[in-house]
Each structure stands twice: as structure tokens, then as C-alpha cells.
Amino acid sequence: MRVQSLTLVAASAALLAPTTFPGAPPPPRPGPQAQLGPGHRHEAPPVRAGRSGTRIGPVPPSRTGPVPPSGIRPGAEAGAGDGSKEARRHGPVRAADLLAKVGDCDPVSRGRYRSDAGAPADIPVCGTRDAVYWKADLDVDCDGRPGDHCNSGTDPHFTPATAYPGSDGRPLDAERLPYVVVPEPSDIWDHRESDVHGGSVAAVVHEDRVRYAVVGDVGPRDLIGEASYAAAESLGIPADPHGGGIASGVTYIVFKGSEVEPIEDKAAAEKAGERLAREFVDGG
């Protein structure tokens, strides 16, 4: 169970050198709170005393322009590649291939996150030219539209809202849509600066499973490692919002500049995710 931490984690005074998981350096000293950008809700939002703490949202779309029929905004297209790469594209991207690409960490966050309140602040957000990624636990986000498994009766901290709404303006459906949660922008890391926003495509890896999702909600500023009921279930992780989830072993890879629209189009997310994951694995 998560409890919103009262301690703000601030920017590190020195640049963080590339490192290798899990040897993360000590967390930085506390500092001033970052200010939210336009569009974030400033009135008192509901407080989740459990996994996610205070929620913000809904967050307005940050990108404009037409979306191609594929359901994803323009990004890096698949290159010609050599014969071996072309052959590999005929099969799904393996978990081992993705994990090999994120074995090292070049931090893009200025500080470190906690997996839960009271846990060490030792989780950096790492980055490459094409993606950001982190390795953490998975706490189950059941917020959004109420259903058979996600409602105020099954989840004592249920909130009928998500930071990013669906195309109909209603909250997302955590029971049916695989989505991941990013931390609220802060001095630790602002996901918007990494070209990550609602609808960005994510690959979530647990053991030998790879599942594709979208960025669908925003959580507390000092915690990381959360995904929807549907995402947990697809990975074979207990999805009970009250006592499910897993304490470690989940890798989240979010592809910069990507966006599925409408955000609830699971088929488009899977298609785009497989393509972007293949490009990520085959890239230099």
C-alpha cells in the first residue's frame, strides 16, 4: 500500500553519471517544490492514502496536429536495416531483447524516486535518444470508470477520474485499458520535458512477458511504479486493487514523441508498441 510521502525530493546538485542497475547513488537533499504548468488542477484533489496519493488532472493534450490512420502520431519510422534485422521484424520483440537495451542507465531525472512511501529513494528515470525507462514495482491503479473490479467497494482509495480522459471526455477504464502512471512533474523529473504525455506508448516488461500500454494517469511526485488493473492482469501480476501488484521486477519503457489517438485504442497501442520496440532494440 502506498501512502503519499510528505518529503519532496529535489534536484541533485551535480550531474548524475551513467550507472548500471541497481547501483543507484544516494538520493539528493530535499529542496523547493516544483510548480505545475498550465492545465493542472490546483483545487484540492482527492487524496489516495494508498498506492498513488494525490492525483492531478485531467491534463489537456500537449500536442496538436492531424493523426495518421495508424492511430499514432508521427515518430521514427522503421528503417531499411540489414537482412538479419528484417528477419527479426517478423517475430515479436522478446523481453530479453528489451531488457538488454536498458541494462545501463544514463539518468534523465535529477533525483531518485521511491517505490512506496518509506522506501529508499533509489530509482532513477533513465533515457536514450528514443525512450525513457525505469525499473520498479507495480502497484495497481484502479482509478477511472467504475466497473466490476475497480470501484469504491473493491478499492478503498478509488477515485473516479484519471489525469488523461478518453476521446469521449470520460475517465479511462483501468479494467480494460492497459496504461502506466507517470509521476507528477517536479524537481525530480518532468515527463513533459522528455516528450512524454498522455497517450505516449509504453512497453512494460515482467519476466518473459512484454505488454504494450499508454501513459494514462499521473501519480504523486516522489513515487514511481504503477500501472492499471488491465496492465497488471496482462503481465500475470495479481491485479487486486487492494492487495495485488508486485514488489519489484517490472521495467517500464516509454517511447518519446509517440501518441496513440484515441488514447483508448488498445489495438493501435499494441501495433505501435511492437513497431517502436523493434526500432528501439534494433537501433544503435
Side-chain angles (χ1 to χ4, degrees):
M1 296 288 290
R2 283 189 172 179
V3 178
Q4 172 67 43
S5 173
L6 298 179
T7 302
L8 299 177
V9 182
S12 175
L15 293 176
L16 297 173
T19 185
T20 300
F21 288 110
R29 294 175 295 178
Q33 180 178 1
Q35 298 296 316
L36 295 181
H40 290 283
R41 182 179 295 172
H42 289 275
E43 64 267 28
V47 174
R48 290 174 59 90
R51 295 165 302 280
S52 301
T54 303
R55 291 280 174 177
I56 62 172
V59 179
S62 59
R63 297 171 67 86
T64 58
V67 179
S70 63
I72 183 170
R73 290 187 178 276
E77 298 297 329
D82 56 31
S84 60
K85 289 183 179 180
E86 287 295 329
R88 288 200 302 273
R89 286 194 177 97
H90 292 294
V93 175
R94 301 182 307 160
D97 294 333
L98 283 168
L99 294 177
K101 290 291 291 188
V102 299
D104 295 328
C105 176
D106 185 7
V108 296
S109 59
R110 292 176 286 274
R112 305 296 167 106
Y113 288 97
R114 304 176 192 275
S115 59
D116 294 287
D122 58 2
I123 303 173
V125 175
C126 314
T128 68
R129 180 189 62 185
D130 300 317
V132 293
Y133 54 92
W134 55 93
K135 301 183 179 184
D137 62 341
L138 189 151
D139 291 302
V140 179
D141 184 350
C142 228
D143 290 342
R145 301 186 190 186
D148 293 338
H149 303 287
C150 292
N151 55 66
S152 58
T154 60
D155 183 356
H157 309 295
F158 175 77
T159 300
T162 51
Y164 302 104
S167 59
D168 59 0
R170 298 172 61 196
L172 301 179
D173 188 339
E175 290 186 17
R176 293 175 173 79
L177 179 65
Y179 67 73
V180 302
V181 180
V182 293
E184 178 183 345
S186 72
D187 285 343
I188 305 175
W189 179 55
D190 185 339
H191 57 271
R192 299 167 301 185
E193 294 177 356
S194 297
D195 204 4
V196 170
H197 44 81
S200 289
V201 182
V204 189
V205 184
H206 173 58
E207 295 181 343
D208 62 349
R209 295 191 182 190
V210 180
R211 297 293 183 267
Y212 298 106
V214 293
V215 172
D217 209 354
V218 174
R221 65 184 54 211
D222 62 340
L223 303 179
I224 203 167
E226 190 174 6
S228 68
Y229 181 102
E233 190 173 49
S234 72
L235 289 165
I237 294 172
D240 175 15
H242 187 62
I246 194 169
S248 63
V250 179
T251 300
Y252 304 78
I253 305 169
V254 183
F255 301 105
K256 297 179 180 179
S258 61
E259 183 175 355
V260 169
E261 196 170 301
I263 191 173
E264 67 270 19
D265 191 336
K266 292 193 297 183
E270 291 168 3
K271 180 178 180 180
E274 183 67 37
R275 177 178 65 82
L276 291 166
R278 173 57 65 198
E279 293 172 3
F280 184 65
V281 167
D282 289 347

